[in-house]
Amino acid sequence: MVHLVGSLRKELADCLSTSKVLVVGAGGIGCELLKNLVLTGFKNIEVIDLDTIDVSNLNRQFLFQKKHVGKSKAQVAKESALQFCPSANITAYHDSIMNPDYNVEFFRKFVLVMNALDNRAARNHVNRMCLAADIPLIESGTAGYLGQVTVIKKGMTECYECQPKPTQKTFPGCTIRNTPSEPIHCIVWAKYLFNQLFGEEDADQEVSPDTADPEAAWNPEETAARATASEKDGDIKRISTKEWARSTGYDPIKLFNKLFKDDIMYLLTMDKLWKKRKAPIPLDWQQLENNLEQEQHTPGLGLKDQQVLGVWGYCKLFQQSVETLRSQLQEKGEGAELVWDKDDPPAMDFVTSAANLRMHIFSMNMKSRFDVKSMAGNIIPAIATTNAVIAGLIVLEGLKILSGELESCRTIFLNKCPNLRKKLLVPCVLDPPSANCYVCASKPEVTVKLNVHKTAVLTLQDRILKERFGMVAPDVQIEDGKGTILISSEEGETEANNSKFLGDFGIRNGSRLQADDFLQDYTLLITVLHTEELERDVEFEVVGEAPDKAPPPQSNKEEVNSITNGNKDSAQPSTSSKAPSEDDDIMIVDSDEDEGASSSAAVAAAVGTKRKHSDAGTGETSTKRPRTDQSSAAAAPTDDDDDIIALD
């Protein structure tokens, strides 16, 4: 007769009480997971999270209360979980999992690692540490009503990096500055404008008309005089946006006329831009004020944030937000800067009003504050119940692993709508490791195409090794027979090389570099392919990867969207509060469809067609894993509700 302890076999219950597990992340999924673990019978748990508790967390991270705001998530989660099971032994770390203290030996003391992370950089790192330590990893993610849990085991399953992940879509500067055609372009412009006026100025986030736009092909010296300015202070030939704004005392009306009248009139002088486009229509504050009677906004039904104001309504909102932000700057003192935060009302009001005014100028339908916030924060609304379901599935997969039943583990997708078999949860068999994976292959190798005469050593270190290939502290040696050290993780040792180009070290077409990351116990061989034919603004390409193309069709497999949960590849490498738009239950969305749709609408569209299924953010397709029950797929090969969404 089977002896049960609660709902578990005694042998398994005993195993839980002695097994040491690591939870990485104590946010939306992490809180639910920690609670589930102690209630299931896990006694030895370590949890790590760098973040602190924010008021916005309280609607879904139920281990936290208002009195905890500002405190360590990991520490408070530990204290709250102990109230469910005071006998549990929980260790909390308020730290980044990418700290060198958490090395391979640290990971080897666990029998199981469970991820509840908010960004890809940290996910990549934990994936590599678990591979190096040969410890099973349960990866998870949620986005709105969608969720996914999968198991990663060295040599048995795909690792987290076996399949390339789509990168966040970016937009050309000339599109943002000169020829916006979608609401998202105007929202990005408004966020740039906030930083240029009130935050940290960035030359790559300029908002003035782009006179170097190759499409314009005009002579600015001849036509600049045609753009008349209503204020001397509004001369577009300013050196610094912030400096000019300060010279006006952050006068909202002067700012308005400069941004929405003078700059637009200047754009109109670029005749060639408007031959096949509808030309923008400048706005004038005085004229709008005089016509106020003609455009009274009638409040609509529904929540205030979901109403779309009239042009004058956004003019007044712009004025109010500028005055509030100006006061905040003055209170902070000379040289102070503000940081844009989607949860800061004046900052959100500024972006909402500025973006909508620009949409109107370029003949787009204006958007509600709710829609602007969704796109500006790159988020899908967090759903507490989704986190709870996914956390429960993580524990169930963990029980299989501890029972020695790894072969019965599955990738499980939580769908928004039931399929024809009335199932919301769809299990799929785990795929084997990819032979071409540059992480878990026996000898990881990649070929990188770049211009050795234009690529600096610092670019190789930061953009290629750290950002693209997920290394934390790389050491690079040239395989030139001399063992030349190009990059050292020891501070200051190779700093003099940073500004030099790869070609200065004899690196040429066909050269090989050995990149080691001792923290991750990871070595990558890089073959350099020299080229002078890269597209404009492209620093390098990884040969064999084409994120803008669909993979070849595969027999007996369905296909699935790949939607990224968390920040882009260059995200903060931790569950860090330094990235205010991130959380473990949000998703970056840059829709290729009508950018007027909210991010939630983008995801709804993503659950549309089957087969060659395009990603909401990049247009990239990816392969759906085969199901354990193929009859469901065969029964309805074209049913939209039967789709599976793969989350990061």
Side-chain angles (χ1 to χ4, degrees):
M1 186 175 183
V2 177
H3 186 190
L4 296 179
V5 176
S7 59
L8 303 176
R9 289 179 290 106
K10 183 178 185 305
E11 297 81 4
L12 180 56
D14 291 342
C15 180
L16 298 191
S17 65
T18 57
S19 298
K20 183 175 285 189
V21 298
L22 173 65
V23 176
V24 188
I29 296 176
C31 281
E32 293 291 332
L33 178 56
L34 201 56
K35 176 260 296 178
N36 288 351
L37 290 174
V38 295
L39 292 178
T40 305
F42 285 83
K43 299 290 186 182
N44 297 288
I45 306 168
E46 299 193 13
V47 58
I48 182 169
D49 195 307
L50 180 60
D51 212 351
T52 54
I53 299 164
D54 186 76
V55 172
S56 63
N57 302 146
L58 303 183
N59 70 339
R60 63 192 180 281
Q61 298 175 21
F62 299 127
L63 296 185
F64 308 143
Q65 300 174 35
K66 191 172 182 180
K67 65 183 180 182
H68 296 138
V69 170
K71 295 183 179 180
S72 161
K73 281 189 175 181
Q75 187 61 39
V76 174
K78 166 192 168 178
E79 294 167 1
S80 299
L82 285 175
Q83 295 181 37
F84 293 98
C85 181
S87 61
N89 177 27
I90 305 177
T91 303
Y93 302 92
H94 180 57
D95 206 348
S96 166
I97 191 60
M98 300 179 78
N99 187 314
D101 292 341
Y102 310 111
N103 53 24
V104 175
E105 289 306 312
F106 173 81
F107 276 81
R108 284 194 178 125
K109 69 182 183 179
F110 302 104
V111 298
L112 179 61
V113 176
M114 289 164 275
N115 267 356
L117 281 163
D118 65 358
N119 68 83
R120 191 176 299 167
R123 283 186 168 107
N124 289 345
H125 180 70
V126 175
N127 174 61
R128 296 178 189 193
M129 299 305 286
C130 288
L131 290 172
D134 198 9
I135 301 298
L137 168 65
I138 303 178
E139 177 58 71
S140 65
T142 65
Y145 292 102
L146 308 175
Q148 175 184 321
V149 172
T150 192
V151 173
I152 297 169
K153 181 65 170 73
K154 183 179 181 179
M156 291 183 61
T157 73
E158 279 188 342
C159 78
Y160 178 72
E161 298 171 81
C162 271
Q163 299 297 334
K165 305 292 189 295
T167 56
Q168 182 181 14
K169 184 170 180 178
T170 57
F171 304 100
C174 54
T175 299
I176 299 298
R177 296 166 64 181
N178 289 0
T179 55
S181 58
E182 300 171 355
I184 190 65
H185 300 155
C186 300
I187 293 168
V188 170
W189 177 87
K191 286 182 68 176
Y192 286 177
L193 177 63
F194 177 92
N195 287 333
Q196 294 290 356
L197 291 175
F198 307 106
E200 182 179 356
E201 291 182 277
D202 186 338
D204 293 331
Q205 296 184 356
E206 183 55 66
V207 293
S208 299
D210 182 7
T211 58
D213 187 341
E215 189 182 350
W218 64 308
N219 186 340
E221 292 181 1
E222 294 178 5
T223 55
R226 292 159 56 188
T228 59
S230 60
E231 297 283 347
K232 185 177 180 180
D233 286 331
D235 187 350
I236 62 162
K237 295 182 179 179
R238 58 186 181 274
I239 297 173
S240 162
T241 302
K242 183 178 290 186
E243 184 180 332
W244 171 81
R246 282 175 177 164
S247 73
T248 71
Y250 284 98
D251 184 306
I253 298 176
K254 287 186 177 181
L255 279 172
F256 179 95
N257 282 332
K258 170 68 201 69
L259 297 165
F260 304 117
K261 179 184 176 184
D262 300 343
D263 279 0
I264 302 304
M265 293 178 71
Y266 191 70
L267 279 175
L268 289 172
T269 66
M270 302 183 186
D271 303 328
K272 291 191 176 181
L273 290 179
W274 317 114
K275 286 187 175 179
K276 296 182 180 180
R277 294 183 180 91
K278 185 173 181 179
I281 303 169
L283 296 176
D284 180 86
W285 182 279
Q286 192 64 48
Q287 185 177 348
L288 288 168
E289 194 170 28
N290 293 338
N291 297 336
L292 177 59
E293 299 79 11
Q294 302 174 19
E295 195 218 309
Q296 289 291 349
H297 171 65
T298 303
L301 299 175
L303 298 175
K304 183 179 178 181
D305 272 12
Q306 295 180 347
Q307 298 174 13
V308 178
L309 308 180
V311 175
W312 182 248
Y314 285 121
C315 290
K316 296 300 290 182
L317 186 63
F318 179 83
Q319 181 183 35
Q320 293 163 10
S321 62
V322 169
E323 290 171 349
T324 304
L325 294 169
R326 177 180 61 192
S327 298
Q328 290 181 359
L329 266 184
Q330 290 171 348
E331 288 173 8
K332 285 179 173 285
E334 186 67 27
E337 294 173 344
L338 302 180
V339 178
W340 190 83
D341 186 341
K342 68 182 182 346
D343 294 318
D344 178 41
M348 195 62 236
D349 286 344
F350 178 85
V351 168
T352 300
S353 57
N356 271 301
L357 290 167
R358 192 162 171 90
M359 288 179 216
H360 179 77
I361 286 168
F362 285 90
S363 303
M364 299 175 220
N365 292 328
M366 295 188 290
K367 300 296 170 187
S368 69
R369 191 178 191 274
F370 178 85
D371 284 341
V372 173
K373 183 174 182 178
S374 295
M375 288 188 272
N378 294 321
I379 67 170
I380 282 180
I383 308 295
T385 47
T386 308
N387 292 333
V389 171
I390 293 302
L393 292 171
I394 293 172
V395 174
L396 291 176
E397 293 302 302
L399 293 178
K400 293 179 188 177
I401 294 171
L402 295 179
S403 298
E405 301 173 2
L406 255 169
E407 68 283 352
S408 66
C409 290
R410 296 289 181 264
T411 293
I412 305 172
F413 297 92
L414 172 62
N415 289 338
K416 185 176 181 180
C417 301
N419 60 17
L420 286 186
R421 294 171 59 87
K422 298 182 179 179
K423 301 291 186 183
L424 281 172
L425 295 173
V426 183
C428 304
V429 295
L430 297 169
D431 286 336
S434 168
N436 299 320
C437 179
Y438 66 80
V439 174
C440 67
S442 56
K443 292 183 178 179
E445 292 190 38
V446 292
T447 299
V448 178
K449 185 189 295 185
L450 49 78
N451 188 327
V452 297
H453 305 302
K454 294 183 179 179
T455 303
V457 172
L458 188 62
T459 300
L460 172 66
Q461 174 184 284
D462 291 348
R463 294 274 293 112
I464 300 178
L465 297 177
K466 290 185 177 181
E467 184 175 321
R468 177 61 186 81
F469 294 123
M471 293 187 171
V472 178
D475 293 276
V476 179
Q477 178 177 308
I478 306 173
E479 292 191 347
D480 55 1
K482 306 174 186 176
T484 304
I485 303 297
L486 187 65
I487 298 172
S488 173
S489 58
E490 294 294 329
E491 189 174 351
E493 196 168 295
T494 55
E495 216 168 84
N497 295 347
N498 286 350
S499 59
K500 297 179 181 178
F501 297 113
L502 300 185
D504 297 338
F505 296 88
I507 297 173
R508 57 185 186 276
N509 190 56
S511 293
R512 286 166 62 88
L513 311 175
Q514 178 175 309
D516 296 290
D517 192 314
F518 294 107
L519 172 61
Q520 298 177 340
D521 193 14
Y522 172 56
T523 298
L524 179 65
L525 290 177
I526 302 172
T527 299
V528 175
L529 193 61
H530 171 69
T531 181
E532 297 184 6
E533 299 177 355
L534 290 174
E535 295 180 16
R536 182 184 176 188
D537 297 328
V538 174
E539 295 175 299
F540 66 94
E541 291 178 2
V542 179
V543 176
E545 290 188 2
D548 56 333
K549 297 178 182 177
Q554 299 187 29
S555 60
N556 299 322
K557 284 198 175 187
E558 296 175 314
E559 291 164 1
V560 62
N561 280 353
S562 178
I563 300 179
T564 57
N565 166 252
N567 203 359
K568 63 181 180 179
D569 285 336
S570 58
Q572 289 290 334
S574 63
T575 52
S576 172
S577 57
K578 293 180 181 178
S581 66
E582 294 181 356
D583 208 327
D584 61 348
D585 39 16
I586 65 174
M587 177 177 106
I588 293 180
V589 173
D590 281 319
S591 177
D592 279 331
E593 308 167 21
D594 175 16
E595 297 292 348
S598 68
S599 53
S600 55
V603 171
V607 196
T609 58
K610 290 179 74 76
R611 299 300 165 194
K612 281 299 173 189
H613 221 10
S614 216
D615 176 68
T618 64
E620 181 180 357
T621 59
S622 59
T623 305
K624 183 182 292 183
R625 295 178 174 84
R627 303 183 183 182
T628 53
D629 184 352
Q630 297 294 339
S631 61
S632 149
T638 59
D639 183 84
D640 292 347
D641 290 341
D642 204 26
D643 278 5
I644 303 169
I645 303 299
L647 306 178
D648 258 354

